[in-house]
């Protein structure tokens, strides 16, 4: 992966996690990479599904840019082996890896422009897009619909623990539907809630 870059320091910054009180180098690149990722995926969907409505495109977009998908790509690119950290547990943290994946995209954009990012992304993201013939649904929305249909209530989310460091926080969230509960972990509360909702559906859905 590093060999793809003209400016190797950009790639090194994209994979540098926090060290002690020093902030992670990848955070600004992650901010940029998130926007680059969104543009490339949105264009890919707009072109691939010319007759699909905005709502369905949005669901596909969420699935192709979510933490789980980005973590899968990070493992495919072996970023878990390349990240610079003194905490080996972070190498297998999906939230961290998804952020690093975005940072790498941001770094490549700065290094070589949007076409280079597309050339890297499309061979990976197009098969992911093609594998879902039906527009997927956000886990929290699916959990809410299921809870209303089955129990006539809404899911209740509660943060039960905050772990990690100030620069690398990890949240554990509980979701409860009637008497059923499940937990999710994420780099932020939103992703932790999504994982909790997904876990609840996987455990209890008919």
């Amino acid at each position: 992966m590093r060999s793809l870059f003209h400016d190797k320091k950009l790639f090194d910054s994209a994979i540098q996690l926090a060290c002690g009180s020093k902030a992670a180098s990848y955070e600004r690149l992650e901010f940029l990479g998130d926007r680059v990722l969104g543009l490339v995926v949105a264009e890919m969907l707009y072109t691939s599904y010319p007759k699909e409505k905005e709502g369905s495109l949005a669901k596909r977009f969420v699935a192709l840019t979510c933490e789980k998908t980005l973590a899968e790509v990070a493992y495919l690119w072996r970023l878990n082996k390349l990240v610079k950290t003194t905490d080996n547990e972070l190498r297998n943290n999906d939230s961290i890896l998804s952020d690093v994946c975005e940072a790498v995209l941001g770094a490549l954009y700065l290094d070589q422009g949007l076409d280079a990012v597309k050339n890297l992304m499309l061979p990976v993201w197009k098969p992911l897009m093609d594998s879902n013939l039906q527009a997927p649904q956000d886990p929290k929305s699916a959990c809410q619909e299921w809870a209303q249909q089955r129990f006539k209530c809404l899911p209740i989310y509660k943060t039960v623990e905050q772990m990690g460091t100030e620069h690398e926080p990890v949240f554990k969230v509980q979701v409860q539907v009637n008497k059923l509960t499940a937990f999710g972990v994420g780099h932020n509360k939103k992703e932790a809630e999504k994982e909790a909702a997904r876990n609840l559906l996987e455990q209890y859905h008919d």
Side-chain angles (χ1 to χ4, degrees):
M1 176 64 70
R2 192 171 188 266
S3 62
L4 295 176
F5 285 74
H6 299 322
D7 185 350
K8 311 299 184 186
K9 291 182 179 180
L10 276 172
F11 178 76
D12 292 340
S13 293
I15 61 172
Q16 178 65 62
L17 304 188
C19 182
S21 60
K22 185 179 179 181
S25 297
Y26 73 80
E27 291 175 341
R28 283 172 53 84
L29 289 171
E30 175 206 346
F31 170 81
L32 176 62
D34 177 67
R35 277 69 184 172
V36 175
L37 167 73
L39 176 59
V40 174
V41 171
E43 181 183 7
M44 180 178 69
L45 291 171
Y46 184 85
T47 303
S48 299
Y49 298 95
K51 297 182 180 180
E52 198 159 273
K53 294 182 179 180
E54 183 272 340
S56 294
L57 290 176
K59 290 179 181 179
R60 294 184 188 276
F61 180 88
V62 168
L64 290 173
T65 58
C66 70
E67 177 186 296
K68 181 180 179 181
T69 298
L70 289 168
E72 288 178 3
V73 174
Y75 283 115
L76 178 65
W77 288 344
R78 298 180 63 81
L79 295 179
N80 59 313
K81 303 293 185 182
L82 299 175
V83 291
K84 297 180 179 180
T85 179
T86 56
D87 187 348
N88 285 326
E89 289 186 7
L90 296 179
R91 297 182 184 278
N92 296 309
N93 184 297
D94 284 357
S95 295
I96 297 296
L97 290 177
S98 68
D99 291 345
V100 171
C101 184
E102 288 180 330
V104 168
L105 296 178
L108 185 60
Y109 173 78
L110 291 178
D111 189 51
Q112 298 173 44
L114 189 60
D115 285 342
V117 177
K118 289 181 180 179
N119 290 336
L120 178 65
M121 285 183 58
L122 292 182
V124 178
W125 261 267
K126 195 172 187 310
L128 292 172
M129 179 186 69
D130 293 342
S131 66
N132 290 304
L133 298 180
Q134 299 293 326
Q137 190 171 26
D138 175 77
K140 289 186 66 176
S141 298
C143 186
Q144 179 174 313
E145 289 184 10
W146 172 70
Q148 289 178 313
Q149 291 174 1
R150 183 159 183 176
F151 298 106
K152 310 299 181 185
C153 67
L154 293 174
I156 299 173
Y157 296 91
K158 180 175 68 175
T159 301
V160 296
E161 187 176 1
Q162 180 174 339
M163 303 166 283
T165 65
E166 180 181 354
H167 297 297
E168 305 281 356
V170 178
F171 297 90
K172 183 177 182 181
V173 168
Q174 179 193 57
V175 60
Q176 181 173 351
V177 174
N178 198 23
K179 296 181 180 180
L180 308 177
T181 61
F183 296 89
V185 176
H187 192 45
N188 54 58
K189 292 182 180 180
K190 182 178 179 180
E191 292 300 332
E193 288 176 355
K194 285 184 178 180
E195 182 177 295
R198 185 182 299 111
N199 289 339
L200 186 71
L201 290 174
E202 289 177 354
Q203 292 178 42
Y204 300 111
H205 207 328
D206 289 340

